[in-house]
Amino acid sequence: MASNAAVPFWRAAGMTYITYSNICANLVRNCLKEPLKTEVLSREKVHFSISKWADGKPQKPIIRSDTPEA
């Protein structure tokens, strides 16, 4: 087993790499100057669907459209 010294700081802080990566990406996007900032922020929107499973079959999917929090 690896020692705690080899654990990345984002893991030691209790977050996943995806969370850490999203925070870094938001910081970079917010540092951009106009007009690039507006263009990049418009591409930030995320669309996905969630399906719950019951008795081995998917239920009706829920379509979600979320934007990351700034």
Side-chain angles (χ1 to χ4, degrees):
M1 181 137 221
S3 69
N4 286 340
V7 175
F9 67 90
W10 49 266
R11 177 67 68 197
M15 65 175 82
T16 65
Y17 181 75
I18 297 295
T19 304
Y20 165 72
S21 178
N22 284 337
I23 290 170
C24 292
N26 283 334
L27 288 171
V28 170
R29 283 191 287 266
N30 288 328
C31 290
L32 291 172
K33 293 181 180 178
E34 292 298 339
L36 294 175
K37 185 174 184 176
T38 305
E39 179 184 335
V40 171
L41 289 176
S42 69
R43 288 185 272 156
E44 190 176 20
K45 194 163 190 152
V46 177
H47 303 281
F48 59 95
S49 67
I50 300 172
S51 294
K52 293 190 178 187
W53 288 69
D55 298 324
K57 296 182 181 179
Q59 303 298 308
K60 182 178 178 185
I62 301 169
I63 306 297
R64 299 277 316 253
S65 179
D66 291 342
T67 54
E69 295 179 20

